[in-house]
Amino acid sequence: MASHGISRTSGTLVRSEEQRQNELQQIATYKDLVDLVNTKVAERQYTVEVLGLVTKLLNENPEYYTIWNHRRRVLIALLPATPPDSDDASSPERPHEFIDGDLQLTFALLRKFPKCYWIWNHRNWILRKGESMSDTKLASRLWSGELQLVGKLLHADSRNFHAWSYRRDVVAQLQRLQAKAADSAAVRGLVESEFEYTTKMIKANLSNFSAWHNRSKLIPRLLNERQANGTTRRKMLEDELQLICTAINTDPFDQSIWFYHQSLMSTISSDCPRESMIVQDLSNGERLRHYAREMEYIKEILEDEADCKWIYESLLSTASFYVQVEAGTKAFTTLEMQSWLDQLRRLDPLRRGRWDELGRRLNL
Amino acid sequence: MSLVSGPGRGAGMTEMPAEMRLFADKHVRYIQSLDTRKDELEYWLTEHLRLNGLYWGLTALYLLGHSDALSRSDIIDFVLSCLHDNGGFGAAPGHDAHMLYTVSGVQILATLDAFDELEKRIPGGRQKIGKYIADLQDPETGTFAGDEWGEQDTRFLYGALNALSLMGLLDLVNVDKAVEYIQSCVNFDGGYGTSPGAETHSGQVFTCVSALAIAGRLDLVEHDKLGAWLSERQLKNGGLNGRPEKQEDVCYSWWVLSSLATLKKLHWIDGEKLTSFILQCQDPELGGFADRPGDMVDVFHTVFAVTGLSLLKYPNLEEVDPV
């Protein structure tokens, strides 16, 4: 019902009578399978055979959420209610086969339908089930494997927000397990490696806003876990500014980069909530030096890219930060600010209403 | 999203330049034809969207001024056939109850002004539905699950507040706690994701901003920051995308535009260019709208194209409530 990117001509072809009959046959077969699954589940036939029918149906239609619920109903009946006794050599391997089976099914389906909420949701459910039947070590291994899976899916589509959300959730699960095992070094290692992962993703594609976003969320956690002092926090801010300035220089027309730059600038402001600040004890003198340096750098880029509206927007917003600290500054003039605003109006007529309002707010 | 006004007037075609013409009659016929396509496999594969689809189609018809194009009593019969004893709606008869369909069910009943009929057929029905929704609130975090299986998402939170407010039952849930949860989802760009830590996405911006509007807490939104982010969704061709550096799609004519409307910043983008982009996505012969010009149409993109045009004050369309 919601079709994306499918050309209209491919759909409006008139079907021949033979094609129509074929489709009617397909419908009949599909509906038979639906009826069969629904009937068996209604009769509470929670068997391996029914699980197979459910698999068949989900492969045909993974969006059919009720069938995922049916699958869980069947699995709950088939899986033991309590963790198997690990000392009991005769305990069957069966439960973990079910878990593995569903991990394979959902992986194959996610490859084909990476944006289907119900598949992601079921994978999460089956992992929790698997965890409840495992000791901490095995549970950690289960969840660790997920980082590789999600890496594969992000390799296929580096902006898939389901995959990024899932990745954050997996990390949270692993941290919970490591906290349970009182392994604080491992917890720290995880945030570090996730931070490095965003660096890797950004270097592969500067335009990956999902990676920049995740980075913005990881930095405060990273600094807390490192128990960073003023010096190391300042180093982090410097490194981030340098990274983003190189990115701006590489592609000044990419908005992902400018949004991240803007976010770094806002962490410098004294209005920023303390928990989101990178450096928590910046002096006003340091703030002004940062703002001035950024404006200088952006102006340098301007020399080659006079038609890039992001440059003027950034100059105006950094200037506003500057004025907040030092109202009567001589670092730039109202006339300059006026000229940046004029450029925005010229280069970006789509958002004219916004620039007009900005002008009124800045008294330009 | 609900309708501001009741049954519409006839949509007389005004004189518009050819490229700015809305083929309203074609769209009405397209929507009427949707339930007659039972000889297509796609019809059966999309049964899990039936109740949503009915809401989308019905809303588009109301905005196009053809509220009577589908039979009112048939619709009510169908909607109530999706209602479970526990007060939740499924996508179609025999499908499990879920928040997504419960919201559509309530929205359809509200559109048809049919809560009295609900009570007549199912005494205490409104309270029952309200309780189903309220029970899905997580008392610890304030957010909502989609169903008994526990998936949580700000889509469900918005749906819950929307449906409860339409039924006048907001007092069944802890609205303050829900607002707190939304606040925990805010990002550096002023936008919101599906859960705390998740990337800003236009769809989630719509759910969170609208939920805050229902809760009367729009003061918590960073208007300028989020308005700026939303305005940057407009691309050179006039269309809107859902996140930075992504492709345009007609459905964002609703998610982005309604959020801008709620923040009173519709003038931050070029409405005329967007109108023209939306109109290029219609099928002028068989009716309906697609995600992009030349693509296959569907009812999902059709409703969000029409609601977008309504927010853009396209002539002869009924007015839609952005929340």
Side-chain angles (χ1 to χ4, degrees), chain B residues 240 252-261 266 269 274 308 311-312:
Chain B
L240 304 170
Y252 296 113
S253 307
W254 175 251
W255 312 119
V256 173
L257 209 57
S258 61
S259 305
L260 282 170
L266 272 183
I269 60 161
L274 176 59
L311 286 176
L312 291 163

Side-chain angles (χ1 to χ4, degrees), chain B residues 172-310:
Chain B
L172 290 183
V173 293
N174 188 339
V175 175
D176 291 344
K177 200 89 186 162
V179 167
E180 246 175 66
Y181 185 82
I182 295 173
Q183 278 300 90
S184 72
C185 295
V186 75
N187 292 318
F188 71 72
D189 43 35
Y192 307 84
T194 51
S195 55
E199 179 186 350
T200 299
H201 184 295
S202 300
Q204 259 65 42
V205 171
F206 162 76
T207 61
C208 292
V209 168
S210 297
L212 289 173
I214 292 169
R217 292 308 308 273
L218 281 176
D219 59 299
L220 295 172
V221 179
E222 293 186 80
H223 284 65
D224 284 350
K225 214 185 222 185
L226 180 54
W229 188 89
L230 286 166
S231 78
E232 294 297 346
R233 298 306 105 239
Q234 188 166 39
L235 304 175
K236 278 205 186 86
N237 63 11
L240 304 170
N241 64 12
R243 289 184 286 158
E245 305 296 333
K246 299 277 287 183
Q247 258 193 310
E248 70 284 357
D249 183 323
V250 153
C251 64
Y252 296 113
S253 307
W254 175 251
W255 312 119
V256 173
L257 209 57
S258 61
S259 305
L260 282 170
T262 302
L263 300 180
K264 302 209 178 343
K265 295 201 186 311
L266 272 183
H267 60 290
W268 280 23
I269 60 161
D270 188 327
E272 209 168 301
K273 273 205 140 166
L274 176 59
T275 303
S276 146
F277 170 79
I278 296 174
L279 291 171
Q280 284 168 42
C281 296
Q282 63 187 332
D283 181 339
E285 279 145 37
L286 300 172
F289 287 79
D291 56 349
R292 277 185 280 282
D295 281 355
M296 278 264 274
V297 302
D298 60 59
V299 68
F300 171 84
H301 289 95
T302 302
V303 67
F304 294 128
V306 175
T307 54
L309 290 173
S310 166

